[in-house]
Amino acid sequence: DDMDAILKSITSGFFYNVVRLSRTGEYQTVKQHKTVYIHPSSVMSKEEKPPAWLVYFELAFTTKEYMRQVAPIKPEWLTEIAPHYYEESEVTEPKSKRSHRPRR
């Protein structure tokens, strides 16, 4: 659909800025495993069920590292868009899916 095409296009430009929701309910960057948070002013920070994967435009360093301008993505896009950067094992969903609320 059109929204997927737009999000996939954004992801192709910012594929190195991807996070996944960890078991602890916090977001971690895929490559560096750095804990980051959705900026409190973001609509996404108010989501009841946060997206498992996000792409972000920038990090703001305050009391925590906050992601700004975030969008939900599908992890399978990463190996399609950037096979030189992501391996299949990095973007496969874990077997057990639990719903976690990210810490702020």
Side-chain angles (χ1 to χ4, degrees):
D1 80 54
D2 289 344
M3 186 56 75
D4 277 359
I6 292 167
L7 292 172
K8 202 172 187 182
S9 176
I10 292 168
T11 303
S12 71
F14 293 94
F15 64 85
Y16 47 85
N17 289 353
V18 172
V19 295
R20 101 189 285 173
L21 193 59
S22 70
R23 285 183 268 246
T24 63
E26 297 173 317
Y27 283 103
Q28 287 202 330
T29 58
V30 175
K31 288 291 190 174
Q32 296 82 21
H33 306 287
K34 184 185 288 191
T35 300
V36 294
Y37 303 88
I38 298 175
H39 195 275
S41 66
S42 172
V43 171
M44 287 282 191
S45 71
K46 319 279 187 281
E47 290 287 315
E48 185 69 31
K49 185 177 181 200
W53 292 81
L54 293 172
V55 64
Y56 63 89
F57 175 68
E58 67 180 350
L59 289 175
F61 299 95
T62 59
T63 55
K64 297 180 181 177
E65 284 190 74
Y66 287 108
M67 299 176 286
R68 294 174 35 144
Q69 294 89 27
V70 297
I73 65 165
K74 295 180 181 175
E76 59 268 17
W77 294 347
L78 298 172
T79 51
E80 181 184 334
I81 292 168
H84 60 285
Y85 194 72
Y86 289 102
E87 295 178 24
E88 192 70 35
S89 61
E90 293 174 306
V91 298
T92 352
E93 289 292 337
K95 296 283 184 207
S96 65
K97 289 186 179 179
R98 294 186 207 168
S99 177
H100 292 286
R101 183 84 178 133
R103 296 180 190 171
R104 289 193 179 85

